[in-house]
Amino acid sequence: SKSEMPSYKLNYFDARGYAEVSRQLFVLSDTPYEDNRIPRDQWPELKKTMPFGNIPVLEVDGKQLPQSLAIARYLAKQFGFYGKTAFESAWVDAIADQFKDCLTEIRPFLFVAKSDGNEAEKERMKKEVALPAIEKHFGLLEKAAKNNGANGHFVGESLTFVDLLVSDFVGTFEAFLPGFSAPYPAVTSIRAKTIATPKIKEWIAKRNVTPT
């Protein structure tokens, strides 16, 4: 019953970033949670209280769980957005892990792109860091989407957390690399389908507007 539902608190900055996939899982499942957005100036003090010294951290009845993908997997499993079979779940994991590699590679570019100033440096990082990472990883994502029948989902016939994860970051990347997603129509259609999901559409319309 609802009364036995655990209490959830999600700790992150006031940004979409690595917590947004989990926020969207709460939204999709109509699960109440505390969306705790930590001001940057309070972070150094709070950092010491986090298991791995970073966020997001999910608290489930006060127990802490670190690492964005571990949190997303846990919630997706609880709420039914993790594939329909063990093999589908493993594919959801595989694509999420691959995408995490992409995020790691592109992060230095995003850091520069978000900062004020040096246009030459932004251009250099775009050429040397962002575009090679996009080409490599989105090529693989496109292939996976096509192998799944280009049906608007990465895995199986239903929405999984990896659809949410990739779709939100496509939006972020588009802000800094306009038009980058054009060569990847199967991935683009996953984003289109995901953000048109009624509960997600409503959430996007009312969420805090943050650039990343």
Side-chain angles (χ1 to χ4, degrees), residues 31-78:
T31 306
Y33 74 108
E34 185 186 338
D35 188 10
N36 181 34
R37 294 173 183 248
I38 297 165
R40 301 248 168 202
D41 59 353
Q42 288 176 24
W43 172 238
E45 206 40 52
L46 281 169
K47 187 176 171 66
K48 304 166 196 160
T49 68
M50 299 299 167
F52 294 165
N54 60 19
I55 44 180
V57 166
L58 177 68
E59 294 174 40
V60 184
D61 289 334
K63 295 197 297 270
Q64 293 178 316
L65 176 66
Q67 278 288 354
S68 60
L69 284 186
I71 295 167
R73 287 183 177 120
Y74 173 76
L75 295 175
K77 206 175 284 185
Q78 303 287 97

Side-chain angles (χ1 to χ4, degrees), residues 129-154:
V129 175
L131 296 179
I134 294 282
E135 205 169 308
K136 174 168 124 189
H137 293 283
F138 275 78
L140 298 171
L141 292 171
E142 182 71 5
K143 189 169 145 191
K146 282 184 174 148
N147 286 346
N148 193 48
N151 63 356
H153 298 297
F154 276 114

Side-chain angles (χ1 to χ4, degrees), residues 20-21 24-25 28 69 72 76 80-83 88 91-93 95-96 99 138 141 144-145 148 150-171 186-197 200 204:
E20 184 67 10
V21 59
Q24 292 187 6
L25 288 165
L28 278 169
L69 284 186
F81 296 95
Y82 199 40
E88 281 190 8
W91 255 102
V92 171
D93 280 346
I95 295 171
F99 190 66
F138 275 78
L141 292 171
N148 193 48
N151 63 356
H153 298 297
F154 276 114
V155 178
E157 302 289 324
S158 63
L159 185 64
T160 64
F161 89 80
V162 78
D163 294 339
L164 299 171
L165 177 71
V166 174
S167 294
D168 196 66
F169 275 102
V170 167
V187 173
T188 308
S189 75
I190 291 172
R191 172 169 160 84
K193 186 166 184 165
T194 302
I195 65 177
T197 307
I200 296 298
I204 289 171

Side-chain angles (χ1 to χ4, degrees), residues 87-107:
F87 194 76
E88 281 190 8
S89 301
W91 255 102
V92 171
D93 280 346
I95 295 171
D97 287 342
Q98 186 67 38
F99 190 66
K100 194 170 193 182
D101 292 347
C102 177
L103 288 174
T104 303
E105 285 174 37
I106 207 164
R107 203 193 215 148

